[in-house]
Amino acid sequence: MSRKTKYDDVLNETTGAFYSGRQKDKLIKERLKKLSEIFDTCDIDKNKRDIAQPLIEQAAFMSVELCDLKEQIKRDGCVEFYQNGANQKGRKRSAAVDVYNTMIKNYTSVTKQLIDLIPKTDMLADDGFDDFLNDSD
């Protein structure tokens, strides 16, 4: 018999989340496995691998959370209505959009850090794009 997590007793409709806690845990593990496999094929020294592991874990977590937030935004829209007191009401950007915007920036930063840890020899063949950008003529 498996133990319940704190998420299992909460309905998605109550939390607003698209995925249940159990689904998120499973998706995070799958994403972590996939990212780890990618980095296991690279020739990264142990010190860099030790640095990469927490970044891989964060990237897996944020990847799943971003998917969840994206589904919430698709379902609920980018704008929500609010009412503060009797006379103050209006529309504002949804909380899910705010969290998504912040998290996508962090995710981009983490993935860039991970890519920078991969030795140049493991990267795709040079297509000349960097030379094109650096050409001052």
Side-chain angles (χ1 to χ4, degrees):
M1 175 185 256
S2 66
R3 292 186 56 172
K4 284 188 169 189
T5 68
K6 63 182 178 180
Y7 305 110
D8 293 330
D9 294 327
V10 182
L11 296 174
N12 289 357
E13 294 82 26
T14 304
T15 64
F18 185 75
Y19 300 119
S20 71
R22 188 172 294 182
Q23 288 171 316
K24 278 186 183 182
D25 290 344
K26 181 182 177 198
L27 291 169
I28 290 168
K29 285 179 185 174
E30 289 172 1
R31 186 67 178 152
L32 179 61
K33 182 180 176 190
K34 186 174 184 178
L35 288 171
S36 293
E37 287 172 355
I38 291 169
F39 277 84
D40 286 344
T41 62
C42 299
D43 187 24
I44 300 175
D45 68 51
K46 175 154 176 31
N47 292 332
K48 286 186 179 181
R49 180 62 185 193
D50 290 344
I51 292 169
Q53 189 57 41
L55 293 173
I56 291 169
E57 292 169 8
Q58 290 302 316
F61 169 79
M62 287 190 283
S63 170
V64 173
E65 286 296 327
L66 285 166
C67 289
D68 187 54
L69 288 164
K70 184 170 90 173
E71 293 302 323
Q72 287 180 52
I73 293 166
K74 284 171 34 180
R75 180 188 62 208
D76 302 332
C78 294
V79 176
E80 61 189 18
F81 294 93
Y82 70 92
Q83 183 166 356
N84 295 336
N87 297 323
Q88 187 181 21
K89 59 184 174 181
R91 294 172 36 158
K92 66 176 186 168
R93 183 175 50 227
S94 76
V97 169
D98 286 339
V99 173
Y100 183 88
N101 286 340
T102 300
M103 191 172 292
I104 194 72
K105 289 175 188 173
N106 293 336
Y107 178 75
T108 302
S109 174
V110 166
T111 54
K112 177 164 180 7
Q113 289 173 338
L114 285 169
I115 290 168
D116 289 346
L117 290 172
I118 298 172
K120 188 83 168 155
T121 56
D122 286 341
M123 294 287 191
L124 295 174
D126 185 10
D127 62 0
F129 186 71
D130 289 336
D131 293 334
F132 171 77
L133 291 177
N134 294 326
D135 191 10
S136 59
D137 293 339

